[in-house]
């Protein structure tokens, strides 16, 4: 009987210690905070037809936008607002960005609700009412800055890609605040 009792106490103690170790491991994992060091730019848009959007970025003052420093994202058509996320390559910290809104010749009006930039948990959000302060349309791009609607321009029977180019002196300081 004593042997049985001793064995029972031993087994309970053994399992009790294992549970304590497991709980300690779980608590240590919960205390780890993952910080994403990727610079992200998101568009909150309503795009009715499938398309491909492109963001260009520069890393230095005076640099021009090039195809080598651009990111394409496939966009699935939807009747609701959706978030399109562009993730910069690792270790890339842009100083400016430019948006090209699709290549689908049959695309309808696009509603740009907001632009969000995020780095190390800090965010900068440009609501549609403030778009004109940070971006300007390139020639042939039609945008109503009150509503955020980009309307297609048709030239020679084809839709011209809508492009928003940054106001460098306004946008760059905001991006610098995020990355410092």
């Amino acid at each position: 009987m004593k042997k049985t009792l001793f064995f029972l106490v031993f087994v309970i103690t053994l399992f009790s210690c294992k549970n304590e170790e497991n709980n300690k491991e779980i608590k240590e994992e919960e205390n780890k905070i993952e910080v994403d060091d990727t610079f992200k730019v998101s568009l909150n848009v309503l795009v009715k037809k499938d398309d491909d959007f492109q963001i260009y970025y520069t890393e230095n003052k005076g640099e021009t936008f090039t195809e080598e420093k651009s990111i394409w994202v496939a966009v699935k058509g939807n009747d609701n607002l959706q978030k399109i996320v562009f993730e910069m390559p690792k270790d890339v910290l842009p100083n400016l960005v430019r948006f090209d809104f699709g290549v689908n010749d049959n695309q309808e009006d696009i509603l740009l609700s907001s632009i969000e930039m995020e780095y190390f948990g800090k965010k900068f959000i440009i609501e549609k009412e403030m778009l004109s302060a940070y971006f300007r349309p390139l020639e042939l791009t039609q945008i109503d800055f009150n509503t955020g609607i980009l309307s297609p321009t048709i030239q020679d029977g084809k839709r011209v890609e809508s492009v928003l180019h940054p106001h460098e002196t306004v946008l760059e300081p905001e991006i610098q605040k995020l990355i410092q």
Side-chain angles (χ1 to χ4, degrees):
M1 176 82 170
K2 285 183 179 182
K3 286 183 180 181
T4 307
L5 186 59
F6 176 75
F7 180 74
L8 187 58
V9 169
F10 175 76
V11 169
I12 291 172
T13 305
L14 182 66
F15 282 112
S16 176
C17 289
K18 282 189 178 181
N19 284 341
E20 203 172 285
E21 286 177 17
N22 288 341
N23 289 339
K24 186 177 178 182
E25 287 175 14
I26 290 169
K27 285 181 183 178
E28 285 176 5
E29 285 181 23
E30 288 174 359
N31 289 333
K32 290 180 185 175
I33 299 172
E34 287 189 36
V35 178
D36 189 356
D37 64 349
T38 305
F39 193 98
K40 293 183 184 116
V41 180
S42 303
L43 301 175
N44 291 306
V45 292
L46 188 143
V47 181
K48 294 195 175 184
K49 296 185 178 176
D50 292 358
D51 214 331
D52 294 295
F53 284 13
Q54 187 175 19
I55 186 174
Y56 289 84
Y57 61 90
T58 61
E59 297 176 88
N60 302 300
K61 255 186 193 265
E63 192 177 0
T64 57
F65 294 110
T66 63
E67 191 69 31
E68 292 78 32
K69 291 187 176 182
S70 72
I71 302 165
W72 286 91
V73 171
V75 179
K76 202 82 170 133
N78 197 321
D79 288 330
N80 299 306
L81 278 175
Q82 58 182 306
K83 188 174 189 173
I84 299 167
V85 180
F86 298 92
E87 286 193 20
M88 295 292 153
K90 186 134 181 81
D91 299 326
V92 167
L93 297 175
N95 67 322
L96 291 172
V97 294
R98 172 190 124 178
F99 300 102
D100 289 18
F101 292 89
V103 293
N104 181 346
D105 285 335
N106 299 312
Q107 190 60 260
E108 300 175 22
D109 286 354
I110 295 170
L111 171 62
L112 176 57
S113 178
S114 65
I115 298 170
E116 181 179 301
M117 298 180 195
E118 183 177 1
Y119 183 64
F120 267 106
K122 295 194 304 190
K123 291 183 183 182
F124 172 61
I125 300 172
I126 304 169
E127 298 292 342
K128 67 182 167 198
E129 296 81 13
M130 293 301 296
L131 286 172
S132 66
Y134 296 96
F135 293 93
R136 65 183 183 278
L138 287 190
E139 188 178 331
L140 300 178
T141 296
Q142 298 178 51
I143 183 169
D144 181 337
F145 282 114
N146 294 318
T147 62
I149 294 178
L150 291 148
S151 299
T153 300
I154 307 300
Q155 187 176 37
D156 299 328
K158 289 193 167 205
R159 178 181 165 270
V160 177
E161 188 175 32
S162 296
V163 176
L164 288 183
H165 202 278
H167 288 299
E168 293 89 346
T169 58
V170 182
L171 183 61
E172 187 174 15
E174 295 299 334
I175 293 174
Q176 291 306 309
K177 288 178 193 175
L178 279 179
I179 62 177
Q180 292 176 349

